[in-house]
Amino acid sequence: MGQAPVVKIALSGYYGFDNSGDEAVLQSILLALQEQGQAQGVQIEPIVLSANPAKTSAMYGVRAAHRMRPGDLLRTLREADGLISGGGSLLQDATSAKTIPYYLAVLKLAQMFGKPTFVYSQGIGPVNRPMFFGWIRSVFKRCAVVTVRDQESADLLGQMRLPQERITVVPDPVMGLPLRADARGGAGSSGGGGSDAAAPASGRAVRTVGVSVRFWNADRSELEALARSLALLLAARPEVRLRFLPFHLPSDEVASQFVIDRLGDHGARAELVRGIEHPQDMLAQVAGCDLLIGMRLHSLIYAASQFVPMVGISYDPKIDQFLHRLGMKAAASTSAFDADKFFEEALRLLDGRDQWAAASRAAIEALKAQAQLPAQRIAAFYKKQPF
């Protein structure tokens, strides 16, 4: 048998910004492409467009180019045999009006160079500026594969008049991210947790509640309310300790410390995990928890993938959309946060972890299996191409 053809694929996304969720998206896509390429006899060589190419290359062992240097970007797209855009919430204008033009421009450039383009498990929206609708539609119509991570994204593309038969709904790619073979969970890498933090739910010595927060409201009202809920939880369950997991550095560390400072004497039972950069290391931290309280989307996805019950705090529709896929709702939002009700929901899931995991297992296993579909379709596309 001859050697498998080498296919160079550029990857465009929010990579190289020290955001654990987006780094997990990248790691998940890289692993899925490797697995599906091997399964179909296609050797895929990724080239990641990153804000920090040296760090991305060192962390994942792949080639990387700077996403904002025109010369690097154009050289990469010319060299590549195709472009993957995603995953993550790339096409939204809630954080900036510049985000959608950038990611669409990268796709459009690749198409102008005659390269096949693929939309990989993206979360579309919110798109508050209708002027973007036609541009998104025209670029997506020329993509070989369009996959989105929830039905709401597919519906929004439908409102933009993209034919529904062009769109496939798949899970977020991070649902397929595996633990490393030597991962044990727990807080040992934080330097202060010790192995007891990873005690199983049945052991009453320590029960670990992971917490992922970010700043959102200018008055910090949602974090003030969360601190009240966590204080109630710590008072009700002496065996509980909190493990704060910053997903976006350094801002989430500051937000975590903000909450810890408002726990009063209970703050002694809270730790802030520092220095976690690789997504699979963060996944191991979440796997060692008995419950995860999260604002960051990928903290909730990490938890689901490891069958850890989660309590979501919604600041963006993407939180609600993910929880809906598991038949759940956010327990609070940044605009409406009842500290007492949030505490009651956290306590219910902490005490009922095994029941929640059993009830959710089939849905989670299905999502994990479906997370490979975009990479499978991309590998199949290149398997059919003449080289």
Side-chain angles (χ1 to χ4, degrees):
M1 293 180 63
Q3 187 175 1
V6 176
V7 178
K8 297 178 182 179
I9 303 182
L11 274 69
S12 170
Y14 192 70
Y15 308 136
F17 288 96
D18 292 328
N19 185 313
S20 183
D22 289 286
E23 294 304 308
V25 166
L26 174 57
Q27 175 73 97
S28 301
I29 293 174
L30 292 173
L31 291 173
L33 289 173
Q34 181 182 43
E35 180 177 337
Q36 294 302 322
Q38 289 176 349
Q40 301 197 47
V42 178
Q43 185 179 339
I44 296 176
E45 180 183 317
I47 310 171
V48 179
L49 297 171
S50 170
N52 190 338
K55 187 173 184 179
T56 295
S57 183
M59 186 174 291
Y60 304 110
V62 296
R63 290 179 58 193
H66 204 290
R67 72 197 296 272
M68 294 303 292
R69 291 178 183 161
D72 291 359
L73 176 61
L74 292 173
R75 278 192 296 273
T76 298
L77 294 178
R78 286 196 180 101
E79 177 185 355
D81 299 303
L83 169 76
I84 289 172
S85 179
S89 303
L90 305 184
L91 297 185
Q92 53 82 23
D93 58 3
T95 57
S96 171
K98 299 177 182 179
T99 303
I100 291 175
Y102 169 79
Y103 289 110
L104 286 181
V106 175
L107 276 165
K108 187 70 174 176
L109 279 169
Q111 292 170 354
M112 289 173 62
F113 291 146
K115 312 295 183 176
T117 52
F118 311 91
V119 175
Y120 198 118
S121 189
Q122 283 196 26
I124 311 296
V127 182
N128 298 307
R129 297 166 175 84
M131 64 180 183
F132 289 138
F133 282 24
W135 195 10
I136 293 172
R137 180 178 66 251
S138 66
V139 172
F140 274 33
K141 274 186 174 180
R142 296 184 62 188
C143 290
V145 174
V146 175
T147 57
V148 295
R149 70 183 180 197
D150 48 60
Q151 186 58 47
E152 291 85 353
S153 295
D155 292 343
L156 181 56
L157 290 175
Q159 293 175 30
M160 299 177 192
R161 295 189 290 115
L162 186 72
Q164 288 294 293
E165 61 269 18
R166 297 292 318 281
I167 309 164
T168 303
V169 178
V170 297
D172 188 286
V174 179
M175 282 300 299
L177 183 65
L179 283 169
R180 285 173 168 163
D182 59 348
R184 293 289 183 271
S189 60
S190 72
S195 59
D196 285 346
S202 58
R204 285 290 176 175
V206 170
R207 302 186 76 190
T208 303
V209 174
V211 184
S212 165
V213 294
R214 60 165 298 161
F215 286 128
W216 191 255
N217 292 344
D219 64 359
R220 311 303 186 215
S221 55
E222 78 285 16
L223 297 185
E224 297 274 8
L226 174 60
R228 292 195 294 273
S229 299
L230 295 176
L232 290 171
L233 182 62
L234 291 168
R237 291 290 184 270
E239 74 276 11
V240 165
R241 73 179 301 168
L242 305 178
R243 179 186 300 168
F244 282 80
L245 302 170
F247 269 65
H248 194 178
L249 301 176
S251 60
D252 286 7
E253 286 187 349
V254 181
S256 297
Q257 192 61 55
F258 180 93
V259 177
I260 293 171
D261 290 344
R262 279 149 184 79
L263 294 175
D265 293 341
H266 295 301
R269 288 158 57 196
E271 64 169 333
L272 174 53
V273 178
R274 300 180 186 274
I276 302 293
E277 294 187 339
H278 197 286
Q280 285 174 299
D281 293 337
M282 184 64 84
L283 182 65
Q285 290 285 333
V286 173
C289 295
D290 298 290
L291 177 73
L292 190 286
I293 293 171
M295 288 181 70
R296 290 287 185 187
L297 171 64
H298 284 97
S299 71
L300 303 174
I301 294 174
Y302 280 16
S305 75
Q306 300 304 309
F307 304 98
V308 174
M310 76 289 297
V311 186
I313 303 168
S314 178
Y315 72 94
D316 184 281
K318 65 187 180 182
I319 303 294
D320 305 289
Q321 291 158 6
F322 173 69
L323 291 171
H324 288 167
R325 298 195 75 166
L326 296 177
M328 302 178 71
K329 294 182 179 180
S333 72
T334 50
S335 59
F337 200 125
D338 186 315
D340 292 320
K341 288 184 178 179
F342 190 90
F343 153 67
E344 291 169 2
E345 177 65 4
L347 192 62
R348 182 185 72 82
L349 285 170
L350 180 63
D351 290 345
R353 171 182 179 166
D354 293 342
Q355 295 92 322
W356 179 89
S360 305
R361 181 166 293 277
I364 292 172
E365 292 287 11
L367 292 176
K368 289 167 76 104
Q370 294 162 13
Q372 291 274 330
L373 181 60
Q376 187 180 67
R377 291 181 62 181
I378 291 168
F381 176 91
Y382 283 105
K383 184 178 181 180
K384 297 176 183 177
Q385 303 305 302
F387 286 91

